[in-house]
Amino acid sequence: IAVHTQSPSADAINKKYTDFGGATTPLGNPAGEVAPAGAGAVRDYEGGAIYYSEPTGAHVTYGVIQEKYRELGGPTGDFGFPTNDESDTPGGRVSEFSAPGGAAIYWTPESGAWPVRGPLLAAYKQLGGPAGELGGPIGDQTEANGEFVQKFSGANGTGEVRWSQAGGFVTVPAALASQLANVQIPGGEGALLGLPGLGEALQLRIPLRQGDR
């Protein structure tokens, strides 16, 4: 008797769908077949998608985080593949991704879904994420003259983290910078600057400056 076997990607995606809870979850029913996506595969559902790559496995995204991920290019963009199932985090929800240096999309009910990555993500996690004093991200990370900036809803909408090689971290409120003395950033400085990753976590003991606001 011939036995029909699916591809490893289809098997992994279908198993994840079952394990996650199937049609009773925010994913809903399948909206297509398993299809190639970058270096892996994806299956769309009524409310989201399950992405698979061999290094990351199969993981779930849905709702506004899924929409933001696709705006950023999905698995063929520079965020790579999801590395966790979209999940609750104190103050909101989060999906993390395989981009060198670290990348995540956070959702909060006040501010919606925004990406945070690299050194700013490492600092944000150290400072408590959405449940910390910074609150949720309120816009995309920006870069000018080698300085990366992310704004947050905390401190009446003036929360901010800045990072550059030359100056280290600057925070608003200023006192938060003292908590970032030994931030550990996966991939090393090369990955954070969009250069090839160094392959190992590098503990950056970088200068700290307090914001002057």
Side-chain angles (χ1 to χ4, degrees):
I1 300 174
V3 177
H4 174 70
T5 59
Q6 299 192 64
S7 68
S9 57
D11 288 343
I13 287 173
N14 292 335
K15 182 178 187 303
K16 171 61 70 172
Y17 180 60
T18 299
D19 292 348
F20 193 70
T24 63
T25 71
L27 286 173
N29 291 303
E33 298 300 321
V34 175
V42 63
R43 189 173 194 182
D44 288 327
Y45 298 84
E46 293 170 330
I50 298 176
Y51 294 90
Y52 169 85
S53 74
E54 187 173 352
T56 60
H59 295 291
V60 174
T61 67
Y62 55 87
V64 292
I65 287 182
Q66 157 75 355
E67 292 171 8
K68 176 61 70 173
Y69 178 48
R70 288 203 161 160
E71 285 178 19
L72 295 168
T76 60
D78 61 2
F79 264 48
F81 281 84
T83 59
N84 74 316
D85 295 331
E86 181 179 328
S87 58
D88 290 328
T89 190
R93 298 185 63 76
V94 64
S95 284
E96 300 203 40
F97 300 89
S98 62
I105 299 174
Y106 284 88
W107 173 87
T108 63
E110 300 82 12
S111 306
W114 296 100
V116 188
R117 65 180 305 173
L120 302 185
L121 174 60
Y124 186 47
K125 288 181 175 181
Q126 180 85 358
L127 296 171
E133 193 170 348
L134 286 173
I138 57 174
D140 288 320
Q141 175 178 297
T142 60
E143 184 273 331
N145 300 317
E147 184 175 60
F148 297 82
V149 182
Q150 188 107 34
K151 295 183 181 295
F152 299 89
S153 63
N156 297 316
T158 65
E160 187 173 282
V161 178
R162 294 173 175 264
W163 181 85
S164 68
Q165 280 188 302
F169 285 110
V170 180
T171 62
V172 180
L176 295 177
S178 65
Q179 300 178 40
L180 302 177
N182 291 298
V183 173
Q184 194 165 61
I185 305 171
E189 284 186 88
L192 303 179
L193 297 173
L195 301 173
L198 302 181
E200 296 180 356
L202 172 67
Q203 191 159 2
L204 298 177
R205 291 179 172 84
I206 56 183
L208 298 176
R209 295 181 292 141
Q210 293 188 336
D212 55 7
R213 280 170 282 181

